[in-house]
C-alpha cells in the first residue's frame, strides 16, 4: 500500500513538473513567434502572440521574470508601432509597475518607459499626464545616471519642450536656461544641442524679446553648421533670422540673411526643386515691395533664371517667362539695353517653340513694345502694341485677359504721348469688351477703369479721375481683398488725387492717407518707404 501511494505521489510530481515545463516552453514559443512577427513589422500577429505569451507566462514563469517583463515591453511597442498610443501606454504603465515589483525601479529601462509614456501622452494631447511622467522620468534618470548624464539632459529637453508647445513661455524660459547649462556639458556639438538653442529663440519670440531671439537664432545656426546635420533640417532658421532682423529694422542685415537662406536652401534641396524656385520668386517680390530693394529683387530673379535653366533647359517657356520678368525690372531700373536683350531672348524662345501667339508670348510682345517706347522708337512701339492686340484677338479671342492687357498697354502708351483721343478709344474698347465678357465686378474691367482714371488724371479732369479710381478701389477690394497690395496702392493713389484737388479736398486727402497707412500696416509694410512717403505728404498738407 505504501509503495502504491509513493508511486502515485511521484507520478503527480512528475506530471506537474512536465506540465510546468511544457507551459514554460509554450511561453517561450509564443514570445519567439511574437518577436519574429514584430521584426517583420506584422504588428497584428505580434500583438496576438505577445498577448497569449502574457496569459501563459503569468501562471508559469511569473510576472517578475525578466522574460515576462520583456514580453510586456514588446507588447507595448507593438501597439505603439500601430499608432495605438492609448493601448501602448496601458502596457508601458504595466511595465512600469512590473519593474518596481521586480526591484528595478531605479534603472535605465524604468526611465525609458516613463519617458515613452510622457511622449505618447504629449502626442495624444494629454498634457497633464505628459507633465507627470516627464517628472517621473527625470527623477528616475537622476537616481540611475545622475544629473550630469546625457540621458537626464535629453529627458529634460523633452520636458522643457512641453512648456514651449503649451506656450507657457515664462516657465519655458527658466527651464531652457537650466537646460542650456546641462546641454553645454553633455551634448554640445550635436544636432540636439543646436535644436535647443533654436527653441530658446522661440521662447524669446513668444516673450516678444525680438533682439534676444535674433541673437539666439544666430547661435543656433552657428551650432548647426558645426554638425553633420543635413541642411534641410535647419535651413528654415536662416529665414527666421532674416525675418527677425527685418522686424527690428535692420534692413541691410535682413537682406543679407535672405541671401544666406536662399543659398542654403539651394544646398538643402537643390535649385531644381520647385520649392526653391517658389521661394526665390516670393522673396524677390518681398524685397521689391516690402524692403524697397529692386536691385536685390533683380538678383533673386536672376537666381530663378539659373534654376529654371537647370530644371527645364534654356529654350523653355519657364526660362522665357523669367527673361520677361528681368526685362520688366531692367525697364524700371532704366537699364534699357539689358531690358531689350532679355525681351529679345524671350521672344526668340517663344518663336522657336511656336508659342509667340500664346498668352506668355503676347506679354513678351508688350514688353518689347515698352522697350521700344523707352528708346523713343514710337512707331516701332505702336506697331508692337497693335500686334499684341491683333494676336490676342485672333488667337485667344477678345474674352481673354491678354486682349484687355494689350489694349491697356497701348492706352498707356498714348497717354504718355498725350494722344488722349487715341487713348480714350482703346480704353472704351476695353471697357465695352470686358463689361460684355466678364462683367463690371471682374478685375479685368477694373483694370480698364484704372486706365480711364489715369487718362482723366493726365487731362487734369480730376473729378472724373476720382470717380473712376473709386470704382477701381471697389473692384480690387472685392477681387483681391482689402488687405492686399493691389487694393492698398489704389487707396494711396486716391489720397494723391485728393491732394491735387485743392483746399476743399484736403480733409478727404488726410483721411484717405491715414486709411492707406492703416492698410499698409495690416499687410506688414508699416516701416516701408511708401508709408514714410505718405507721412511726408500728410506733413505737407498740415503745413499748408
Amino acid at each position: 500500500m505504501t509503495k502504491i501511494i509513493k508511486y502515485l505521489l511521484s507520478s503527480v510530481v512528475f506530471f506537474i513538473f512536465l506540465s510546468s515545463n511544457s507551459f514554460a516552453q509554450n511561453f517561450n514559443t509564443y514570445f519567439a513567434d511574437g518577436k519574429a512577427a514584430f521584426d517583420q513589422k506584422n504588428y497584428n500577429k505580434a500583438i496576438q502572440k505577445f498577448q497569449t505569451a502574457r496569459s501563459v507566462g503569468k501562471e508559469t514563469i511569473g510576472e517578475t521574470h525578466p522574460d515576462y517583463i520583456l514580453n510586456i515591453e514588446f507588447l507595448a511597442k507593438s501597439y505603439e508601432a500601430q499608432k495605438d498610443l492609448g493601448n501602448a501606454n496601458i502596457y508601458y504603465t504595466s511595465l512600469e509597475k512590473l519593474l518596481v515589483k521586480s526591484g528595478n525601479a531605479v534603472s535605465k529601462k524604468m526611465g525609458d518607459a516613463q519617458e515613452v509614456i510622457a511622449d505618447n501622452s504629449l502626442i495624444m494631447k494629454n498634457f497633464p499626464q505628459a507633465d507627470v511622467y516627464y517628472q517621473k522620468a527625470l527623477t528616475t534618470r537622476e537616481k540611475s545616471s545622475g544629473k550630469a548624464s546625457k540621458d537626464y539632459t535629453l529627458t529634460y529637453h523633452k520636458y522643457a519642450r512641453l512648456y514651449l508647445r503649451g506656450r507657457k513661455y515664462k516657465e519655458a524660459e527658466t527651464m531652457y536656461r537650466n537646460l542650456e547649462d546641462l546641454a553645454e556639458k553633455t551634448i554640445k556639438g550635436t544636432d540636439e544641442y543646436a535644436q535647443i538653442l533654436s527653441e530658446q529663440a522661440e521662447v524669446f519670440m513668444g516673450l516678444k524679446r525680438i533682439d534676444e531671439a535674433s541673437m539666439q537664432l544666430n547661435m543656433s545656426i552657428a551650432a548647426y553648421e558645426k554638425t553633420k546635420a543635413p541642411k534641410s533640417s535647419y535651413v528654415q532658421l536662416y529665414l527666421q533670422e532674416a525675418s527677425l532682423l527685418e522686424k527690428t529694422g535692420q534692413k541691410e542685415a535682413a537682406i543679407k540673411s535672405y541671401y544666406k537662406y536662399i543659398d542654403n536652401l539651394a544646398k538643402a534641396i537643390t535649385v531644381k526643386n520647385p520649392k526653391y524656385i517658389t521661394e526665390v520668386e516670393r522673396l524677390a517680390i518681398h524685397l521689391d515691395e516690402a524692403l524697397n530693394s529692386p536691385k536685390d529683387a533683380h538678383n533673386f530673379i536672376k537666381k530663378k533664371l539659373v534654376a529654371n535653366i537647370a530644371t527645364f533647359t534654356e529654350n523653355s517657356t519657364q526660362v522665357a517667362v523669367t527673361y520677361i520678368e528681368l526685362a520688366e525690372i531692367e525697364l524700371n531700373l532704366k537699364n534699357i539695353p539689358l531690358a531689350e536683350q532679355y525681351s529679345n531672348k524671350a521672344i526668340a524662345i517663344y518663336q522657336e517653340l511656336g508659342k509667340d501667339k500664346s498668352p506668355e508670348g503676347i506679354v513678351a510682345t508688350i514688353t518689347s513694345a515698352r522697350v521700344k517706347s523707352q528708346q523713343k522708337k514710337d512707331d516701332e512701339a505702336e506697331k508692337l502694341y497693335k500686334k499684341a492686340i491683333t494676336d490676342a484677338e485672333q488667337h485667344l479671342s477678345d474674352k481673354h485677359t491678354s486682349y484687355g492687357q494689350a489694349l491697356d498697354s497701348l492706352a498707356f502708351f498714348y497717354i504718355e504721348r498725350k494722344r488722349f483721343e487715341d487713348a480714350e478709344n482703346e480704353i472704351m474698347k476695353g471697357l465695352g469688351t470686358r463689361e460684355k465678357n466678364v462683367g463690371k465686378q471682374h478685375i479685368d474691367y477694373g483694370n480698364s477703369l484704372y486706365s480711364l482714371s489715369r487718362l482723366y488724371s493726365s487731362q487734369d479732369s480730376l473729378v472724373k479721375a476720382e470717380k473712376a479710381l473709386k470704382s477701381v478701389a471697389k473692384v480690387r477690394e472685392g477681387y483681391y481683398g482689402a488687405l492686399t497690395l493691389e487694393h492698398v496702392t489704389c487707396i494711396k493713389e486716391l489720397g494723391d488725387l485728393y491732394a491735387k484737388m485743392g483746399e476743399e479736398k484736403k480733409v478727404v486727402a488726410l483721411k484717405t492717407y491715414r486709411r492707406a497707412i492703416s492698410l499698409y500696416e495690416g499687410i506688414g509694410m508699416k516701416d516701408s518707404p511708401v508709408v514714410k512717403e505718405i507721412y511726408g505728404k500728410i506733413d505737407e498738407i498740415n503745413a499748408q
Side-chain angles (χ1 to χ4, degrees), residues 382-443:
E382 188 173 1
K383 285 178 182 177
L384 285 170
Y385 282 125
K386 288 181 176 179
K387 180 182 184 301
I389 293 169
T390 302
D391 287 346
E393 188 173 19
Q394 291 180 356
H395 296 272
L396 301 173
S397 90
D398 62 1
K399 296 180 182 179
H400 198 278
T401 300
S402 299
Y403 176 71
Q405 184 181 356
L407 287 173
D408 289 337
S409 299
L410 180 56
F412 279 121
F413 170 75
Y414 286 144
I415 290 169
E416 288 173 352
R417 299 300 181 269
K418 300 191 182 302
R419 293 168 58 179
F420 299 129
E421 187 176 342
D422 290 332
E424 188 169 10
N425 289 337
E426 300 303 322
I427 292 167
M428 291 306 173
K429 193 188 298 182
L431 279 169
T433 303
R434 283 167 161 173
E435 183 179 356
K436 180 181 69 175
N437 292 330
V438 295
K440 289 185 175 183
Q441 303 306 313
H442 196 275
I443 191 60

Side-chain angles (χ1 to χ4, degrees), residues 523-536:
I523 60 173
M525 294 180 66
K526 180 180 179 180
D527 300 317
S528 64
V530 67
V531 171
K532 292 176 183 177
E533 178 194 339
I534 294 171
Y535 275 118

Side-chain angles (χ1 to χ4, degrees), residues 453-470:
S453 74
R454 289 287 298 272
L455 171 64
Y456 288 146
S457 183
S458 299
Q459 293 174 309
D460 290 328
S461 299
L462 301 184
V463 175
K464 288 183 177 179
E466 176 199 1
K467 183 180 177 182
L469 197 54
K470 284 171 77 174

Side-chain angles (χ1 to χ4, degrees), residues 482-529:
L483 290 175
T484 56
L485 187 61
E486 291 82 1
H487 176 247
V488 179
T489 302
C490 196
I491 299 301
K492 187 260 182 189
E493 289 184 14
L494 261 175
D496 294 340
L497 191 61
Y498 288 132
K500 293 177 182 177
M501 293 175 74
E503 189 71 29
E504 61 188 32
K505 288 289 186 179
K506 281 185 179 178
V507 174
V508 183
L510 289 171
K511 183 179 178 181
T512 307
Y513 276 142
R514 290 192 181 103
R515 183 186 172 202
I517 289 170
S518 176
L519 291 170
Y520 273 118
E521 289 176 351
I523 60 173
M525 294 180 66
K526 180 180 179 180
D527 300 317
S528 64

